[in-house]
Amino acid sequence: MRKVFFIFIFMVWFTVQARISRQWTENQVIVDSAMLWSLPRDYSHVGLEACVSMKGPSDRRGADRYSWDLILMLADGTRRVVTVGWGNTDLGDFADIRYLSVTGVTSEPVRLTEDVSLYKGDNYIVVEINTHGEARVYVGNDVMNYVGSISLSAPVDIVSIGSKDRMELAFMAIECEREPVLDSGLDGRELELACNTDLKAPFGVWRYLDRDNNTDYARPGGYYTLVGIQDPDDSNGFLLLYLDGAKVNADGWKPGMIKARMIPTGFVGRYRLEWYNADKSVLRDESGAVIEGDIMTLLFPLHKSQLRFSR
């Protein structure tokens, strides 16, 4: 069982505009009922985390009668139910093992015996949902256990959590990120003019040259051709617009879309960089760009990678 050594494992997201919405609920007692939260339809990623405890679970032969459910209600009317419960393999036998079970994620129930509360303590559930129709599920306490992924037939409209018995919800946190707006507004003629501009850094057409990357940390999403222009919203900044070359999520990229933002530093030819990945998430922390003549190097030190372009 793969383990994740942190509790709050929402994906690290950055935004261009106010694209993140958050919902927070805490200190709720739920008895034979459920609570519901609606999600925006235009999300690109959703992360949710809940902390739940029940006072009833105790040793007994087989599955315990106590359990609670996390339900994902989908836009097509279907739903996926993740049930967390408890049990004993053989109560009274010296080989008996107390376990926490998670059903509804994989074809068979997943039994966890470590890094979970087996009786009255808190257990956390974390779900990461993306636009590729996947919900990744983690359960645990101080250390999270990766349970598996759920295939979704449609976007999630509503999240529900509840129980037929008494459960205490310490908190539910939901964070939704909408797709970034990356349309530069330039039409074909304007892009052509931008391509024919002078070659003062970082203007001009930049074509993929080579890379130096650690594939454990990052993989290129394509062999891009980009064009550098002045940022119309920032007289001191520049944009790298996508022209061609996407391999990953190629249908999501059209000529003229913003692939990166470059902000000058106090050093000639050195820029801070905001780079949009193939899935349109953004890399910002410690990323940078260096232009030396007709070579542009994009640096991603946290991912032990760099890309080079020539013009």
Side-chain angles (χ1 to χ4, degrees):
M1 183 66 63
R2 184 160 66 87
K3 298 178 180 178
V4 182
F5 286 83
F6 46 90
I7 292 177
F8 198 77
I9 59 170
F10 289 167
M11 290 173 285
V12 180
W13 297 325
F14 304 96
T15 57
V16 186
Q17 302 170 356
R19 295 185 290 106
I20 290 181
S21 62
R22 297 181 176 89
Q23 300 182 62
W24 175 268
T25 304
E26 62 184 359
N27 299 329
Q28 299 293 316
V29 176
I30 302 172
V31 181
D32 193 19
S33 62
M35 296 188 68
L36 292 84
W37 296 263
S38 296
L39 304 186
R41 276 289 184 93
D42 57 347
Y43 67 78
S44 58
H45 296 93
V46 174
L48 66 88
E49 180 181 14
C51 176
V52 176
S53 63
M54 301 186 77
K55 294 183 178 180
S58 60
D59 289 318
R60 65 181 62 210
R61 186 178 300 276
D64 200 316
R65 62 176 289 269
Y66 291 94
S67 65
W68 54 270
D69 299 322
L70 177 77
I71 303 175
L72 305 178
M73 302 180 187
L74 310 186
D76 63 1
T78 62
R79 61 184 199 163
R80 302 301 299 267
V81 181
V82 178
T83 300
V84 177
W86 294 264
N88 293 73
T89 58
D90 193 3
L91 186 65
D93 188 271
F94 74 93
D96 177 53
I97 298 174
R98 177 73 172 170
Y99 61 83
L100 178 146
S101 67
V102 184
T103 60
V105 179
T106 57
S107 58
E108 298 292 333
V110 175
R111 291 182 175 181
L112 305 175
T113 58
E114 297 180 353
D115 304 310
V116 292
S117 295
L118 296 174
Y119 295 96
K120 301 178 181 180
D122 292 335
N123 282 298
Y124 296 81
I125 185 168
V126 172
V127 181
E128 299 174 343
I129 305 169
N130 59 40
T131 53
H132 305 300
E134 179 188 38
R136 296 172 62 83
V137 179
Y138 304 77
V139 174
N141 44 36
D142 290 338
V143 176
M144 300 301 292
N145 300 280
Y146 174 61
V147 178
S149 64
I150 302 172
S151 295
L152 304 176
S153 58
V156 178
D157 270 351
I158 296 173
V159 174
S160 171
I161 195 167
S163 174
K164 295 180 180 179
D165 297 292
R166 186 182 192 276
M167 62 175 281
E168 296 181 6
L169 179 66
F171 69 83
M172 166 69 88
I174 302 176
E175 184 168 283
C176 303
E177 182 190 19
R178 293 176 172 84
E179 284 281 355
V181 179
L182 298 180
D183 184 6
S184 67
L186 296 183
D187 58 24
R189 175 58 179 165
E190 291 171 320
L191 277 176
E192 182 180 348
L193 292 174
C195 293
N196 293 329
T197 190
D198 60 59
L199 296 185
K200 294 179 181 178
F203 298 126
V205 178
W206 297 94
R207 293 178 173 83
Y208 173 84
L209 179 61
D210 57 25
R211 59 188 167 96
D212 180 7
N213 71 298
N214 185 324
T215 55
D216 289 337
Y217 290 82
R219 297 175 185 268
Y223 304 101
Y224 298 115
T225 300
L226 310 172
V227 58
I229 68 168
Q230 189 79 49
D231 187 341
D233 297 324
D234 182 358
S235 60
N236 294 318
F238 304 92
L239 300 177
L240 292 177
L241 304 183
Y242 170 81
L243 290 183
D244 195 12
K247 300 298 183 183
V248 179
N249 191 28
D251 292 342
W253 288 92
K254 307 299 180 186
M257 294 181 71
I258 299 169
K259 189 61 178 167
R261 298 175 185 270
M262 298 173 63
I263 301 94
T265 66
F267 302 94
V268 175
R270 270 58 176 173
Y271 303 84
R272 294 193 302 276
L273 180 70
E274 295 178 0
W275 173 263
Y276 294 95
N277 289 316
D279 64 357
K280 299 180 183 177
S281 61
V282 64
L283 296 179
R284 177 184 290 135
D285 281 10
E286 299 187 28
S287 300
V290 176
I291 296 178
E292 296 175 325
D294 291 330
I295 300 295
M296 176 173 65
T297 305
L298 305 184
L299 305 168
F300 307 98
L302 297 184
H303 296 269
K304 301 183 180 181
S305 302
Q306 67 178 36
L307 301 174
R308 291 204 308 166
F309 295 80
S310 63
R311 65 179 175 187

